[in-house]
Amino acid sequence: MSVNDMIKKSVLNSFSQYNVPKMALALLVALLVGIVIYCVYRRFYTGVVYSRSFAVTLVGMCVLTCMVTLAISTNIVISLGMVGALSIVRFRNAVKDSMDLLYLFWSIGVGIICGARLFEIAVVVSLAVTALIFLLDLVPSAKPPYLLVVNSTDTEIDPALNELLNRYAKGARVKSRSVSADRLDLILELRTDDGSRLVSACAALPGVESASLVSYNGDYAA
């Protein structure tokens, strides 16, 4: 018997072993849990730009992982083919938010669990992760610092600017300082509860062409 005949016979035998109702149930549970992951991601997303395509990918990844697990668990030939196919796939999209890793592993893990037909574990894990995200969302976080950008034609503006910073801000640190013959560009990281007065006072200083206050979270500015 040739190798092709052996593979064909193995695949035909595996089809006879498929339990279609149980497979459909596993895919349905994976789809429902994927929708839950989608809703949790949309509700608790705190990044700068919400990506609906990534949220939809979480649902699809959950179902597809379940399908792959079902295929691998029923036939060794298919499992070897899956390993060979996945070994040559290269994913180039970078994860923009570290929290996205949680949702990715959640989706993949639930898909594998549903493919193994351990539905109770999938439900319990999803409830636990949802509760964890909800509780952490209730914990108040520290206010993010600001970036004060000052463009001035007066290179000796530091004493007057320091006076304003002592009055309206705290913890000011120079992030960037660019000096030329008749120009000074400053970027300072600071915390303030009265940003509007700070910007207005900086803009009113002699020689200041512009002053901007930018919210800053360490990764993105908005």
Coordinates of all heavy atoms in Angstrom, one line a residue, residues 38 41 49-61 93 96 100 104:
Y38 N -15.0 39.7 23.1 CA -15.2 40.9 22.3 C -15.9 42.0 23.1 O -15.4 43.2 23.1 CB -16.0 40.6 21.1 CG -16.5 41.7 20.2 CD1 -15.7 42.2 19.2 CD2 -17.6 42.4 20.5 CE1 -16.0 43.2 18.4 CE2 -18.0 43.5 19.7 CZ -17.2 43.9 18.6 OH -17.6 45.0 17.9
Y41 N -13.5 43.3 25.8 CA -12.4 44.2 25.3 C -13.0 45.5 24.9 O -12.3 46.6 25.2 CB -11.9 43.5 24.0 CG -10.8 44.2 23.3 CD1 -9.5 44.3 23.8 CD2 -11.1 44.9 22.1 CE1 -8.5 45.0 23.1 CE2 -10.1 45.7 21.5 CZ -8.8 45.7 22.0 OH -7.9 46.4 21.3
V49 N -6.4 54.4 20.5 CA -7.2 54.2 19.3 C -7.8 52.8 19.4 O -7.1 51.8 19.4 CB -6.4 54.4 18.0 CG1 -7.3 54.1 16.8 CG2 -5.8 55.8 17.9
Y50 N -9.1 52.7 19.5 CA -9.8 51.4 19.6 C -9.8 50.8 18.2 O -10.2 51.4 17.2 CB -11.2 51.6 20.1 CG -12.1 50.3 20.0 CD1 -11.9 49.3 20.9 CD2 -13.0 50.2 19.0 CE1 -12.7 48.1 20.8 CE2 -13.8 49.1 18.9 CZ -13.6 48.1 19.8 OH -14.4 46.9 19.7
S51 N -9.4 49.5 18.2 CA -9.3 48.8 16.9 C -10.4 47.7 16.9 O -10.3 46.7 17.6 CB -8.0 48.1 16.7 OG -7.9 47.3 15.6
R52 N -11.5 48.0 16.1 CA -12.6 47.0 16.0 C -12.1 45.7 15.3 O -12.6 44.6 15.6 CB -13.7 47.6 15.2 CG -15.0 46.7 15.2 CD -16.1 47.4 14.5 NE -17.3 46.6 14.5 CZ -17.6 45.6 13.6 NH1 -16.7 45.4 12.6 NH2 -18.7 44.9 13.7
S53 N -11.2 45.8 14.3 CA -10.7 44.7 13.6 C -10.0 43.7 14.6 O -10.1 42.5 14.5 CB -9.7 45.1 12.5 OG -8.6 45.8 13.0
F54 N -9.2 44.3 15.6 CA -8.6 43.4 16.6 C -9.6 42.7 17.4 O -9.5 41.5 17.8 CB -7.6 44.2 17.4 CG -6.9 43.5 18.5 CD1 -5.8 42.7 18.2 CD2 -7.4 43.5 19.8 CE1 -5.2 42.0 19.2 CE2 -6.8 42.7 20.8 CZ -5.6 42.0 20.5
A55 N -10.7 43.4 17.8 CA -11.7 42.8 18.6 C -12.4 41.7 17.9 O -12.7 40.6 18.5 CB -12.7 43.9 19.0
V56 N -12.7 41.9 16.6 CA -13.3 40.8 15.8 C -12.3 39.6 15.6 O -12.7 38.5 15.7 CB -13.7 41.4 14.4 CG1 -14.2 40.2 13.5 CG2 -14.8 42.4 14.6
T57 N -11.0 40.0 15.6 CA -10.0 38.9 15.5 C -10.0 38.0 16.7 O -9.8 36.8 16.6 CB -8.6 39.5 15.3 OG1 -8.6 40.3 14.1 CG2 -7.6 38.4 15.2
L58 N -10.3 38.6 17.8 CA -10.4 37.7 19.1 C -11.5 36.7 19.0 O -11.3 35.5 19.4 CB -10.7 38.6 20.3 CG -9.6 39.7 20.6 CD1 -10.0 40.6 21.8 CD2 -8.3 38.9 21.0
V59 N -12.6 37.0 18.4 CA -13.7 36.1 18.2 C -13.3 35.0 17.2 O -13.5 33.8 17.5 CB -15.0 36.8 17.8 CG1 -16.1 35.8 17.6 CG2 -15.4 37.9 18.7
G60 N -12.8 35.4 16.1 CA -12.4 34.5 15.1 C -11.3 33.6 15.5 O -11.2 32.4 15.2
M61 N -10.3 34.1 16.3 CA -9.2 33.3 16.8 C -9.7 32.2 17.8 O -9.2 31.1 17.8 CB -8.2 34.2 17.5 CG -6.9 33.5 17.9 SD -5.7 34.6 18.6 CE -5.3 35.6 17.1
N93 N 2.3 41.5 12.6 CA 1.6 42.6 13.3 C 2.2 42.7 14.7 O 2.2 41.7 15.5 CB 0.1 42.4 13.4 CG -0.5 42.6 12.0 OD1 0.1 43.2 11.1 ND2 -1.8 42.3 11.9
K96 N 0.3 46.5 20.0 CA 0.5 47.9 20.4 C 0.3 48.1 21.9 O 0.8 49.1 22.4 CB -0.4 48.7 19.6 CG -0.2 48.6 18.1 CD -1.2 49.5 17.3 CE -0.9 49.4 15.8 NZ -1.9 50.2 15.0
D100 N -3.4 43.9 25.3 CA -3.8 43.0 24.1 C -3.3 41.6 24.2 O -4.0 40.7 23.8 CB -3.4 43.6 22.8 CG -4.1 45.0 22.5 OD1 -5.1 45.3 23.2 OD2 -3.7 45.7 21.6
L104 N -5.4 38.2 23.8 CA -5.0 37.2 22.8 C -4.9 35.8 23.4 O -5.4 34.8 22.9 CB -3.7 37.6 22.2 CG -3.7 38.7 21.1 CD1 -2.3 39.1 20.7 CD2 -4.5 38.2 19.9

